[in-house]
Amino acid sequence: VFLEPTQPAWVERAKAEKRYRGGRPENAGRNAEIEAMLREGKSWARIMTATGCARGTVAKIAQRLRETGAAA
């Protein structure tokens, strides 16, 4: 059984040429606010309520902080 690739061929070519990153750009202002709240020690639930973001967004930013050596 032959399965079609999940992405069109133009996406693969454009990514190879660095013309297409895919997805939606990050909301830098909101992410900076989330990062500041994480540094202050706020709970994820409080951050999600204050910013209106999803748990996955808070997790992604918390992981970035851990990877850069900052406490989260």
Side-chain angles (χ1 to χ4, degrees), residues 34 38 44 47-48 51 53-63:
I34 293 169
L38 285 168
W44 285 20
I47 294 170
M48 291 184 318
T51 61
C53 70
R55 185 172 195 84
T57 302
V58 178
K60 176 177 67 175
I61 296 169
Q63 181 177 7

Side-chain angles (χ1 to χ4, degrees), residues 7-22:
Q7 293 183 329
W10 69 266
V11 172
E12 295 300 326
R13 284 193 307 271
K15 283 183 178 181
E17 296 169 6
K18 305 283 191 221
R19 293 185 296 121
Y20 180 78
R21 284 188 35 220

Side-chain angles (χ1 to χ4, degrees), residues 2-49:
F2 176 75
L3 297 176
E4 289 290 325
T6 56
Q7 293 183 329
W10 69 266
V11 172
E12 295 300 326
R13 284 193 307 271
K15 283 183 178 181
E17 296 169 6
K18 305 283 191 221
R19 293 185 296 121
Y20 180 78
R21 284 188 35 220
R24 169 173 33 172
E26 289 190 1
N27 185 335
R30 183 196 63 197
N31 291 357
E33 182 181 355
I34 293 169
E35 184 175 328
M37 293 175 84
L38 285 168
R39 289 180 192 273
E40 293 170 5
K42 305 275 188 200
S43 71
W44 285 20
R46 180 165 288 182
I47 294 170
M48 291 184 318
T49 301

